[in-house]
Amino acid sequence: GQQVMQIPQYQHVQEGEDFTTYCNSSTTLSNIQWYKQRPGGHPVFLIQLVKSGEVKKQKRLTFQFGEAKKNSSLHITATQTTDVGTYFCAANSGGYQKVTFGIGTKLQVIP
Amino acid sequence: DTGVSQDPRHKITKRGQNVTFRCDPISEHNRLYWYRQTLGQGPEFLTYFQNEAQLEKSRLLSDRFSAERPKGSFSTLEIQRTEQGDSAMYLCASSRGTGSSNYGYTFGSGTRLTVV
């Protein structure tokens, strides 16, 4: 079945440093979604990317979809303690309505 | 509308017992999903409804698991003859969508199942 690989699994950064997580697939994706899950919480939808090469920004967060629609990245500029949590990419392909989640990148921000 | 509601929040059951969870999605959303999440893992797909029709069920899902969405509103997930390996957070999500189009999911707070 379809899988999305996410790296790194863990990242510790000093507050103010930048952070990037990557999502890769061996198959072409229809779209990719990003979610954030705070410790003890549930996944919260951040954004969906659909077009090849698409770049979207939400304040300090920049999301990118690769030209071949096989990879994506989430970049956070100048991390804050409120950014702590696990970031998941989730994707679907082949016309399926469900999304498959990656393993997530757990971000710790050291004040 | 206050989002996706799940009940109960926590359930402790003895091995071999049956359990049932309920999910009330956002009323405007026609799609409803059940996922399972264990510690350190991403949510794992279980099953999906569009309106009242169950359109997909994970091949990894045992026959002990069954889900319904009567009248296309709330949904229930039942696990029969629970096993310790069923211990996990069971997440319900809803979204809108037509055809092959997809939109972001709104997740509920989940039901944490512990099988002892």
Side-chain angles (χ1 to χ4, degrees), chain A residues 35 37 48 92 97-99, chain B residues 35 37 45 56 99 102 105:
Chain A
Y35 292 79
Q37 186 171 23
Q48 175 168 278
N92 72 349
Q97 278 77 44
K98 74 167 195 292
V99 294
Chain B
Y35 281 79
Q37 188 176 28
F45 171 75
E56 192 174 348
N102 224 21
Y105 295 1

Side-chain angles (χ1 to χ4, degrees), chain B:
Chain B
D1 190 58
T2 55
V4 178
S5 299
Q6 290 189 248
D7 183 69
R9 292 292 303 273
H10 304 274
K11 178 70 176 179
I12 300 174
T13 190
K14 290 184 178 179
R15 189 176 51 185
Q17 297 293 305
N18 299 344
V19 294
T20 300
F21 309 142
R22 178 181 170 121
C23 171
D24 287 90
I26 292 174
S27 55
E28 301 85 42
H29 288 177
N30 60 332
R31 292 179 175 171
L32 186 148
Y33 307 82
W34 285 98
Y35 281 79
R36 176 172 62 189
Q37 188 176 28
T38 53
L39 197 63
Q41 301 295 316
E44 175 192 20
F45 171 75
L46 296 179
T47 191
Y48 146 64
F49 292 85
Q50 180 155 307
N51 301 312
E52 67 276 7
Q54 187 173 19
L55 295 188
E56 192 174 348
K57 186 175 175 180
S58 171
R59 283 170 286 178
L60 302 175
L61 206 58
S62 157
D63 289 343
R64 298 183 296 105
F65 287 71
S66 62
E68 293 182 341
R69 192 184 183 197
K71 302 178 184 176
S73 55
F74 71 93
S75 176
T76 58
L77 176 69
E78 181 183 17
I79 309 174
Q80 296 182 327
R81 304 180 304 282
T82 52
E83 301 172 356
Q84 286 188 322
D86 297 332
S87 295
M89 176 71 84
Y90 288 83
L91 293 165
C92 175
S94 69
S95 77
R96 55 188 176 96
T98 55
S100 60
S101 68
N102 224 21
Y103 297 89
Y105 295 1
T106 301
F107 279 89
S109 297
T111 294
R112 181 168 296 285
L113 173 66
T114 303
V115 182
V116 298

